[in-house]
Amino acid sequence: MNLFFFQNCISPHQIPYIRECVKDERIESVYLIVPRTDYVGRKDMGWDSTHLLDNTSIQLWLRPKDEQIVQLLKETKDVVCLFSGIRSFADVFRWFKLSLSYNVKRGIITEPPNVYLTKPLFLHYARFLFQDYKYIKYIHYVFAFGDLAVNYYRFWSKKWKVIPFAYCTDNMHVLECEYVIKNENLKIVFVGSLTRNKNVISILKALSILQNDTVSFDIVGDGIERKHLEDFVEKKRLRHVSFYGYLQMEEARAVMNDADVLILPSHYDGWGAVVNEALQLGLYVICSEHCGSKALILNNRIGNIFHSYQEFLKQLQNVIQNKEAIKNGRLYRKQWSNTISGESISKYLIDNLSSPAEYIMEPWKRI
């Protein structure tokens, strides 16, 4: 089997399992076709994905001409083309349409429809019906991130195999030293852009209500909401809140490694790969029901999902009251995170491609 991954960039949340695909004996070759390496905005946030392909036999095609793609599809046998969505990215959609003339199997790897603010779900159904329904017959697999995506795509057809899927992140090689409980205080962390959607203000409001001096809060990231958040901290006299701004990846992970709990309170997140990174470091995770990565929070040893602000407040109080148990559970979470490693996700993907009619349990549910 030859795998062609058509993506919008070299995604650090997908490369870990793509790298592992090369090592599988069922795979002859792996091609990664992208129009760019990284987006400018991501580079400004400290992203650098070019090194992710070091020492691999992945064949990278950067900004290829359409004629080159056509030639590749003509000459290669036993091909599965996996596209990052259908219409999310113009280059990927063009390559998808190019593939329709050739005898290949196709799959899409996709987040759920964005239902934040002015984008209600019924509008996505209407758009799909008029624009994309005609392509269903050409698609064999849908690798869908989170429950919303799985339910959405299963609604459209029984002819394609809809597979619950997950992003994965590189193992924290430089941070694999044994974790030592440094003190009895609890440190929580948020990592991401400071926008209204990320809802960081909800964490600060909760801390202002609880007024617990044994809790500190580190905020890694920047954005248009930062000034508003800083003003709130000053107004409420929250003493143990630190704003780090944008950090390079390893610096951000070092801040996370020093924390006990990650909170992701987004109003909407197609996935939220910072949850993967946190679990690999052994952090406890609290996230909103609107995050695709809630699929990983399978029990209260890993974390909790909240459906309302009051529920979030209670969960935070519970974490503070049980901080010793939270800290002692770190090793369990680090070990469990092997189920979402590149190796694990790669095997799950190829197993599904090799056995299209068989149900294969998600590796992160095998606990």
Side-chain angles (χ1 to χ4, degrees):
M1 185 190 306
N2 294 282
L3 294 183
F4 292 10
F5 290 90
F6 293 88
Q7 297 187 344
N8 59 310
C9 66
I10 301 176
S11 169
H13 302 144
Q14 292 178 283
I15 291 300
Y17 68 77
I18 295 176
R19 279 200 312 254
E20 294 297 325
C21 288
V22 179
K23 303 174 186 178
D24 195 295
E25 62 183 12
R26 294 168 289 181
I27 301 302
E28 184 176 342
S29 59
V30 174
Y31 293 81
L32 177 62
I33 299 98
V34 294
R36 63 187 65 80
T37 54
D38 277 307
Y39 287 101
V40 173
R42 285 185 172 180
K43 289 181 179 179
D44 292 342
M45 294 170 62
W47 295 73
D48 179 13
S49 301
T50 54
H51 70 282
L52 295 174
L53 297 179
D54 292 348
N55 304 315
T56 74
S57 55
I58 293 172
Q59 301 188 49
L60 174 65
W61 284 38
L62 179 62
R63 292 186 293 274
K65 295 179 180 178
D66 288 356
E67 294 80 5
Q68 293 175 288
I69 299 294
V70 167
Q71 193 66 25
L72 186 63
L73 292 171
K74 280 182 178 180
E75 294 179 352
T76 314
K77 307 297 182 183
D78 191 17
V79 171
V80 177
C81 294
L82 296 172
F83 300 89
S84 291
I86 298 180
R87 288 187 182 270
S88 299
F89 311 103
D91 294 293
V92 175
F93 182 50
R94 188 178 73 256
W95 294 330
F96 170 76
K97 289 193 294 183
L98 275 179
S99 80
L100 300 182
S101 300
Y102 301 94
N103 183 26
V104 300
K105 288 186 176 180
R106 295 170 199 83
I108 58 174
I109 301 175
T110 180
E111 292 185 358
N114 185 344
V115 294
Y116 181 54
L117 291 180
T118 59
K119 302 171 183 177
L121 192 56
F122 77 88
L123 288 180
H124 292 280
Y125 279 105
R127 187 210 61 78
F128 189 97
L129 180 63
F130 287 106
Q131 289 188 320
D132 293 339
Y133 187 80
K134 60 189 174 186
Y135 295 122
I136 288 178
K137 62 184 178 182
Y138 299 106
I139 298 171
H140 303 81
Y141 312 95
V142 180
F143 292 90
F145 296 102
D147 296 339
L148 176 59
V150 169
N151 294 334
Y152 177 77
Y153 286 101
R154 282 181 177 167
F155 168 84
W156 286 110
S157 178
K158 294 182 180 179
K159 294 182 180 179
W160 54 15
K161 183 178 181 180
V162 179
I163 302 150
F165 207 51
Y167 283 121
C168 62
T169 52
D170 266 325
N171 289 331
M172 312 294 147
H173 300 295
V174 299
L175 301 172
E176 286 182 351
C177 55
E178 183 178 353
Y179 173 75
V180 178
I181 297 177
K182 298 177 181 178
N183 55 60
E184 62 180 18
N185 292 341
L186 187 79
K187 180 173 283 191
I188 63 177
V189 66
F190 167 87
V191 180
S193 56
L194 301 186
T195 62
R196 181 182 174 189
N197 177 46
K198 293 295 185 178
N199 194 27
V200 179
I201 191 66
S202 66
I203 306 175
L204 295 175
K205 287 179 178 178
L207 293 177
S208 72
I209 293 171
L210 299 177
Q211 290 292 338
N212 191 313
D213 284 339
T214 69
V215 180
S216 63
F217 180 30
D218 291 340
I219 302 173
V220 178
D222 216 328
I224 59 175
E225 284 287 293
R226 178 167 177 171
K227 180 63 166 59
H228 172 57
L229 299 173
E230 289 176 330
D231 289 346
F232 184 89
V233 169
E234 183 177 356
K235 178 181 177 181
K236 297 295 183 180
R237 298 181 181 179
L238 298 177
R239 294 188 297 163
H240 304 297
V241 177
S242 301
F243 290 84
Y244 284 84
Y246 288 136
L247 296 178
Q248 295 295 313
M249 276 189 184
E250 293 307 322
E251 294 175 315
R253 288 170 176 173
V255 174
M256 291 173 65
N257 193 51
D258 198 40
D260 303 297
V261 179
L262 173 91
I263 301 179
L264 187 63
S266 306
H267 292 302
Y268 171 84
D269 238 313
W271 184 254
V274 69
V275 168
N276 297 61
E277 294 179 334
L279 291 171
Q280 285 182 321
L281 293 171
L283 274 68
Y284 192 84
V285 173
I286 298 176
C287 73
S288 80
E289 64 169 330
H290 305 297
C291 299
S293 53
K294 71 178 183 180
L296 303 179
I297 312 302
L298 299 172
N299 61 52
N300 58 14
R301 294 182 68 186
I302 296 172
N304 260 304
I305 305 162
F306 65 88
H307 302 79
S308 67
Y309 180 72
Q310 288 303 317
E311 198 169 294
F312 166 60
L313 194 59
K314 289 179 181 178
Q315 289 176 9
L316 186 55
Q317 286 175 313
N318 184 64
V319 164
I320 295 169
Q321 291 168 2
N322 295 280
K323 55 180 177 285
E324 184 176 343
I326 295 297
K327 291 172 180 287
N328 289 332
R330 194 170 189 122
L331 181 60
Y332 166 81
R333 291 184 289 273
K334 288 186 71 171
Q335 292 175 337
W336 175 87
S337 73
N338 289 326
T339 66
I340 52 173
S341 67
E343 182 179 4
S344 179
I345 299 298
S346 169
K347 183 179 183 303
Y348 175 63
L349 180 142
I350 297 170
D351 285 348
N352 274 288
L353 297 177
S354 302
S355 306
E358 182 182 350
Y359 167 72
I360 298 167
M361 179 180 286
E362 301 93 297
W364 54 91
K365 288 187 178 179
R366 301 169 194 164
I367 57 174

